[in-house]
Each structure stands twice: as C-alpha cells, then as structure tokens.
Amino acid sequence: MKIAIARDGSYVSQHFGHCEGYAIYYVRDGIIFRQEDLENPGHQPGVLPGFLADHQVTHILAGGMGPRAIDLFRDKGIEVIIGVSGPVDRIAQDLIAGRIVPGESACTHTEGHTCNHE
C-alpha cells in the first residue's frame, strides 16, 4: 500500500488539487516503513491522478475533491478517501488501523462553491 495525503503544512489539505504537496507513506504488514513528500506539480484538470499513479500511489486522502477528480483517480485504480482532517501523520496511522471514516467532501464544486481555492 502506498498512501498519499494532500497536505498543507503538517495537516490534511481541504482541497487535494490546491495543496502544498502530498505526504507519501509506504505501508507493509500494517507498518509505515518510509515517508517522503512530493511537491504539488500544479492544479490542472486530469494531471494529478496520472502524477500520483506514476508514483504507484494506491490511496489518496484529502479533505475535499471534486467528483471528476474522484472518477479519474478511480479509473487509475487509486482508492479515494475524502472528508478527513487533522495531522497527516495521525491520519496515516488511523487509516492503517482502520479508524478512518470517509466523510463529505470539503470541496463540492457545486453552485455556491465555497472551498476558497480560486
């Protein structure tokens, strides 16, 4: 398993595409054995799913993500978990322990869009 968590500083970003970068966790037998950070190459439609797939990511976590991006990640075989918040290290541990409960996207991309990332 290779987890990418959209981050701003050391916290989960509320919008995966406009985050500072991605905290990457490699997991084997339920244990994180390596971590690195990838810089966000920029928010362009359709680019980030390929970028993270090229880095063999199997799971992406973020506070929010638009529905088109979710579909593009799923097309690449990447599991999407949205509606999470908190420190990225804790979120990675919670995912491994089975304590993550997906929630509503913090970024809906619907009329009245308020995720504040324009």
Side-chain angles (χ1 to χ4, degrees):
M1 175 187 292
K2 190 171 183 182
I3 304 164
I5 303 176
R7 65 166 188 78
D8 287 321
S10 61
Y11 286 85
V12 176
S13 175
Q14 292 306 295
H15 191 288
F16 95 100
H18 294 274
C19 66
E20 290 177 8
Y22 302 92
I24 306 296
Y25 298 87
Y26 301 80
V27 181
R28 183 176 42 222
D29 298 326
I31 299 169
I32 294 173
F33 64 92
R34 183 173 169 212
Q35 190 232 343
E36 65 179 313
D37 286 313
L38 295 175
E39 283 189 41
N40 184 342
H43 187 257
Q44 298 172 10
V47 171
L48 291 170
F51 172 74
L52 292 173
D54 288 347
H55 284 87
Q56 291 82 44
V57 166
T58 60
H59 297 72
I60 178 84
L61 288 83
M65 183 182 300
R68 182 170 179 262
I70 291 171
D71 290 342
L72 291 171
F73 275 111
R74 289 180 178 156
D75 288 347
K76 299 272 186 200
I78 298 173
E79 184 176 336
V80 176
I81 302 168
I82 56 173
V84 297
S85 63
V88 294
D89 289 339
R90 189 195 80 217
I91 294 299
Q93 290 294 335
D94 286 350
L95 177 67
I96 294 163
R99 293 188 298 257
I100 291 289
V101 177
E104 293 293 316
S105 178
C107 182
T108 61
H109 287 235
T110 60
E111 189 174 338
H113 177 88
T114 60
C115 63
N116 225 11
H117 60 73
E118 304 307 337

